[in-house]
Amino acid sequence: MITSKLPNVGTTIFTRMSQLAAETGALNLSQGFPDFDGPQALRDAVARHIAAGHNQYAPLAGLPALRQQVAAKIARSYGRTVDMDSEVTITPGATQGIFCAIQALIRPGDEVIVFDPCYDSYEPSVALAGGRCVHVPLALPDFAIDWQRLAEALTPRTRLVILNSPHNPSGALISRAELDQLAALIRGRDIYLVSDEVYEHLVFDGARHASVLAHEELYARAFVVSSFGKTYHVTGWKTGYVVAPPALTAELRKVHQYVSFCGVTPLQWALADYMAEHPEHVEELPAFYQAKRDLFCDLLTDSRFGLRRAAGTYFQLADYSAIRPDLDDVAMAEWLTREHGVATIPVSVFYQQAPKDLRLVRLCFAKREDTLRQAAEKLCAI
């Protein structure tokens, strides 16, 4: 008999809810992917590079042309100059980048701070490295860092803090002042950061993303992770990148080369071309997704769901306390899918121990307008 290294891990809720949506014919607002394609010019570029024979291994760190574009975007967006050769690594997906960063840092007995609710890949990655996650709940209703609880959670064994802003599932943002507060709290300690910033360009209402890349003190001890899939509407391409100081990048690449060695070559060529030709894409992204958020929330104004408009990401939380307070959120998500034709994600799955009175589901609004209108009609009829 095999003794599982991840005995408490099964099929993810994202896979289960997408399968249930397919079985029932429900609109799938559960898993976080668009139901529209990425830019035509980007897709055309892939075909062009495949036809041109760019189908063999890329360099371990990623194509120089793409790393150069990432460095240029970081300079424009955050005012930081990074070295494309020693600080930028292209990975087959942000999740793989996070995994490699954790494996590079964590040793048996190390503790890793995660903020609940948190993305589900963090803890298994820590467990496989022999570490232990220490869960610090975010303060409701704003999903803000509870600084007292964080300070109490730090011990001599704390090796890593994982940040996520814009935050999945809540859409909450970490401010520059909060980054300063974190820097003061961990100053003088042997603690590193993984900053999951895959939704960095999905920030609304005139706010600006406070990136660790723009924070001199924190960047010196950080792996900053982002996603081409989220930014360019091509989640199935599973292509992301990690930016870190040279010493941390060297350790990351030692792991990365034995997990996948490199990312997919023609996709990297296509992204490099598109980023060079369309730098405005990332500048237009906040307005593009804010329009979808606002449409969806406006359509749900007359529903019985309680909404606090997401500050970032392409997820909107909905409070169903006025509809079925008798159901926990997992049962509610299944009920909405089976009985009302809309698949969602229960927020409790992002917690180690969710609050007992939590009555929230997560809906993805990275959808065509007609999909959002159909979903809202079904939800308003409840």
Side-chain angles (χ1 to χ4, degrees):
M1 293 291 291
I2 294 175
T3 301
S4 177
K5 296 180 75 173
L6 296 171
N8 299 317
V9 172
T11 304
T12 71
I13 189 69
F14 311 105
T15 298
R16 298 205 308 272
M17 293 310 299
S18 287
Q19 287 176 343
L20 186 59
E23 291 168 7
T24 60
L27 296 171
N28 190 359
L29 271 60
S30 60
Q31 199 167 356
F33 60 85
D35 67 349
F36 50 86
D37 262 328
Q40 184 66 51
L42 178 59
R43 290 180 282 134
D44 289 345
V46 178
R48 183 170 68 248
H49 284 290
I50 290 174
H54 294 154
N55 302 302
Q56 308 309 324
Y57 293 125
L60 179 154
L63 288 178
L66 183 53
R67 287 185 281 117
Q68 182 179 33
Q69 289 303 317
V70 169
K73 188 200 76 164
I74 289 170
R76 290 194 307 270
S77 298
Y78 308 120
R80 171 168 293 282
T81 299
V82 297
D83 186 285
M84 59 174 257
D85 292 320
S86 63
E87 295 181 77
V88 180
T89 305
I90 309 301
T91 60
T95 301
Q96 193 258 24
I98 292 168
F99 178 86
C100 290
I102 289 170
Q103 302 309 307
L105 275 178
I106 300 305
R107 293 169 175 79
D110 286 345
E111 293 178 351
V112 177
I113 302 291
V114 296
F115 296 100
D116 280 3
C118 69
Y119 184 57
D120 68 342
S121 85
Y122 302 158
E123 186 153 26
S125 299
V126 171
L128 289 171
R132 182 177 77 88
C133 280
V134 176
H135 294 258
V136 177
L138 295 172
L140 299 175
D142 297 323
F143 294 90
I145 294 174
D146 184 327
W147 293 99
Q148 182 63 36
R149 295 189 73 160
L150 174 58
E152 292 170 354
L154 297 177
T155 76
R157 293 183 297 278
T158 305
R159 178 76 166 167
L160 176 67
V161 175
I162 302 181
L163 297 178
N164 176 209
S165 179
H167 179 249
N168 177 15
S170 73
L173 307 178
I174 293 175
S175 68
R176 170 67 192 217
E178 288 175 304
L179 293 181
D180 290 342
Q181 199 165 351
L182 177 63
L185 190 59
I186 64 175
R187 191 173 295 142
R189 298 172 182 254
D190 187 27
I191 296 175
Y192 295 85
L193 299 178
V194 166
S195 187
D196 179 352
E197 302 184 15
V198 300
Y199 300 101
E200 61 178 320
H201 299 297
L202 280 64
V203 177
F204 311 134
D205 303 313
R208 291 188 61 82
H209 170 53
S211 176
V212 167
L213 288 164
H215 197 287
E216 191 72 29
E217 184 176 356
L218 289 181
Y219 178 66
R221 57 171 81 200
F223 297 92
V224 181
V225 184
S226 196
S227 165
F228 298 109
K230 302 295 192 300
T231 299
Y232 295 99
H233 320 309
V234 285
T235 60
W237 286 19
K238 292 301 297 177
T239 305
Y241 60 90
V242 182
V243 185
L248 293 181
T249 292
E251 294 305 311
L252 173 91
R253 290 177 181 175
K254 289 178 183 179
V255 179
H256 164 65
Q257 68 183 337
Y258 294 116
V259 174
S260 63
F261 181 73
C262 66
V264 179
T265 302
L267 302 186
Q268 293 190 52
W269 278 110
L271 286 161
D273 284 357
Y274 189 79
M275 291 178 74
E277 294 164 7
H278 297 279
E280 76 283 356
H281 177 91
V282 295
E283 297 165 8
E284 296 169 352
L285 209 55
F288 175 81
Y289 272 117
Q290 183 173 334
K292 290 184 178 295
R293 181 205 66 176
D294 289 345
L295 171 66
F296 192 45
C297 289
D298 288 347
L299 290 169
L300 291 174
T301 298
D302 294 329
S303 76
R304 298 168 65 198
F305 289 93
L307 302 175
R308 296 165 61 95
R309 296 193 182 210
T313 76
Y314 48 47
F315 300 117
Q316 176 62 50
L317 297 188
D319 188 318
Y320 64 88
S321 299
I323 301 171
R324 289 296 304 269
D326 58 309
L327 295 181
D328 65 34
D329 59 354
V330 175
M332 182 65 176
E334 293 179 356
W335 182 75
L336 285 172
T337 306
R338 294 184 186 278
E339 302 299 326
H340 296 280
V342 180
T344 65
I345 293 291
V347 172
S348 66
V349 301
F350 296 91
Y351 281 87
Q352 181 187 48
Q353 185 172 357
K356 290 183 179 179
D357 58 350
L358 193 72
R359 294 294 182 266
L360 294 173
V361 291
R362 191 198 76 177
L363 303 104
C364 176
F365 57 81
K367 307 296 177 184
R368 300 187 306 268
E369 181 176 328
D370 64 317
T371 303
L372 295 175
R373 290 187 180 278
Q374 290 177 52
E377 183 178 359
K378 291 175 179 291
L379 295 171
C380 286
I382 299 173

